[in-house]
Amino acid sequence: MTPHDFQISPERLPELLCAMPKAELHMHIEGSLEPELIFALAQRNGVTLPYASVEDLRQAYAFTNLQSFLDIYYAGASVLLKEQDFYDMAWAYLERAAADNVVRTEMFFDPQTHTARGVDVKVVIDGLHRACVDAEARLGVSAALILCFLRHLSEEEAFETLEQALPYRDKFIGVGLDSSEVGHPPEKFAKVFARCRELGLHLVAHAGEEGPPAYVWSALDVLKVERVDHGVQSAKDPALMARLAKDRIPLTVCPLSNLKLCVFPDLKAHNLKTLLDAGLVATVNSDDPAYFGGYMNENFLQTFAATGLTAQHAWQLAANSFEGSFIDDAAKARYMGRLNETFARFAA
Ligand code: HPA
Ligand code: ZN
């Protein structure tokens, strides 16, 4: 069954966007820390924050670019110390994901943000992984972890982080690259990604969020990533667009993040439709939902309302999210069956 078989009235599109099963492929678990939980954990752990109240902290969420966000994001993560803190953070996100009909999520985490404060990587991974196991059993959400290297730090530090994490290799499925993009091109991490590839880890990297198409090319050709996180700047380079379409490289697009970090002046100007109509495997994701004004369904609802995407695009985005995920083909086929059932129900 293809989506062309369905006639869905535009009035029912918002309800369909919420109801359809989907995978989230780009979210930073530290970016799901809501101000209320930041303050609760600060109190529990005796950490002093440079903000007087939840309202005061929320007021600071007026970003002008990626770096202005990262400064506050790393400050927020400073309240995380114990295994239970990491569990509580991940559990709060997983409950929200389940409510948005996210059936599969591949969550980024930043070990260096925590090891720099003296927290053992075991504490980080154990807490997050325990929440992933519980999500499957109690929420029916399949959840996995992707370890990100901070690109403003050195490749040597990335290697040290990999060494520290390898005893827990069975608890994460891949590695990524995040933090300040411009001035830190993918090729800075060529050796550590080559090592991770030998280890059989999945490979992804942020590229083309604020950085140029050249960074997307080197993520593909030097790091050999399987997905590109963001990648929206690719639209500036027709040869790159052709490459991404030909090789079916998923782009994990984050519309509300792009809006809040001023990558596009407004959602109407977002290029998601251009990427989809060019045949790219584009997906919708929340990035740092506590900071950017919404979780998965809010990203879908606001983007569709602003850009005039259709039910056909909705089906394509959900299908792309399963195609781009690191689950096996049998699981992909099961999720596609559920997606088509949902569309059939709305067409009736
Ligand atoms: N880009 C880069 N690094 C990040 C992001 C992002 O959107 N979110 C958290 N770390
Ligand atoms: Zn991101």
Side-chain angles (χ1 to χ4, degrees):
M1 209 178 323
T2 76
H4 303 284
D5 301 327
F6 302 129
Q7 283 302 321
I8 291 163
S9 74
E11 306 87 73
R12 297 200 71 200
L13 185 53
E15 198 192 334
L16 172 63
L17 292 171
C18 295
M20 68 180 187
K22 51 187 78 76
E24 175 148 57
L25 306 179
H26 181 164
M27 72 83 55
H28 304 261
I29 196 60
E30 293 90 348
S32 74
L33 262 184
E34 292 286 342
E36 290 78 7
L37 187 53
I38 292 177
F39 270 80
L41 293 175
Q43 190 160 38
R44 190 158 100 186
N45 289 330
V47 173
T48 309
L49 290 166
Y51 302 94
S53 64
V54 165
E55 294 70 41
D56 194 30
L57 175 55
R58 237 186 248 285
Q59 288 279 315
Y61 294 2
F63 314 116
T64 50
N65 57 21
L66 174 59
Q67 193 60 49
S68 66
F69 154 70
L70 289 170
D71 295 340
I72 290 181
Y73 162 85
Y74 293 129
S78 70
V79 301
L80 297 159
L81 295 178
K82 312 239 170 64
E83 194 257 14
Q84 188 66 40
D85 304 338
F86 290 93
Y87 179 92
D88 290 347
M89 168 174 69
W91 186 253
Y93 159 72
L94 288 161
E95 281 192 313
R96 287 179 182 259
D100 280 357
N101 291 303
V102 171
V103 294
R104 164 74 178 176
T105 179
E106 298 177 6
M107 300 144 60
F108 295 138
F109 69 107
D110 288 342
Q112 288 159 298
T113 301
H114 313 298
T115 52
R117 292 179 290 107
V119 178
D120 199 302
V121 74
K122 174 178 170 36
V123 168
V124 179
I125 294 178
D126 279 353
L128 298 177
H129 183 258
R130 187 159 62 86
C132 291
V133 171
D134 284 358
E136 180 93 57
R138 292 168 55 189
L139 302 171
V141 175
S142 161
L145 296 170
I146 296 176
L147 181 159
C148 279
F149 301 118
L150 298 182
R151 69 200 303 156
H152 67 274
L153 302 178
S154 68
E155 186 176 49
E156 192 184 346
E157 287 164 295
F159 265 114
E160 282 165 23
T161 302
L162 179 64
E163 282 310 312
Q164 291 164 1
L166 277 182
Y168 320 105
R169 165 72 182 84
D170 57 324
K171 295 189 171 124
F172 59 99
I173 61 168
V175 298
L177 189 62
D178 67 0
S179 189
S180 320
E181 184 183 9
V182 175
H184 303 284
E187 52 270 33
K188 179 178 165 185
F189 296 91
K191 294 194 193 75
V192 74
F193 268 67
R195 177 73 188 123
C196 290
R197 192 156 178 255
E198 283 171 5
L199 290 165
L201 287 157
H202 285 293
L203 306 180
V204 301
H206 283 54
E209 178 184 14
E210 291 181 338
Y215 285 21
V216 179
W217 282 110
S218 58
L220 295 173
D221 291 336
V222 181
L223 300 189
K224 305 198 185 303
V225 299
E226 298 159 81
R227 295 198 296 247
V228 171
D229 296 313
H230 293 295
V232 291
Q233 302 301 334
S234 305
K236 292 176 176 163
D237 180 341
L240 177 56
M241 291 286 278
R243 166 76 183 280
L244 293 166
K246 179 174 80 55
D247 289 349
R248 298 200 68 70
I249 303 289
L251 297 190
T252 62
V253 177
C254 306
L256 287 177
S257 166
N258 293 155
L259 175 69
K260 294 295 159 72
L261 301 187
C262 308
V263 173
F264 295 95
D266 52 44
L267 272 187
K268 231 181 167 38
H270 199 285
N271 65 7
L272 179 61
K273 185 171 185 297
T274 304
L275 302 173
L276 286 172
D277 291 350
L280 268 62
V281 187
T283 62
V284 164
N285 307 272
S286 72
D287 207 5
D288 300 282
Y291 291 90
F292 298 148
Y295 289 76
M296 276 293 261
N297 285 355
E298 201 55 34
N299 272 272
F300 275 100
L301 290 167
Q302 290 194 33
T303 306
F304 274 65
T307 60
L309 293 171
T310 63
Q312 165 72 43
H313 291 112
W315 183 90
Q316 193 66 59
L317 285 163
N320 288 350
S321 76
F322 297 127
E323 178 181 341
S325 73
F326 296 135
I327 50 178
D328 64 29
D329 288 347
K332 289 185 189 189
R334 273 198 308 278
Y335 289 135
M336 284 304 297
R338 285 171 64 177
L339 177 64
N340 288 333
E341 277 166 27
T342 305
F343 271 71
R345 194 152 46 77
F346 275 75

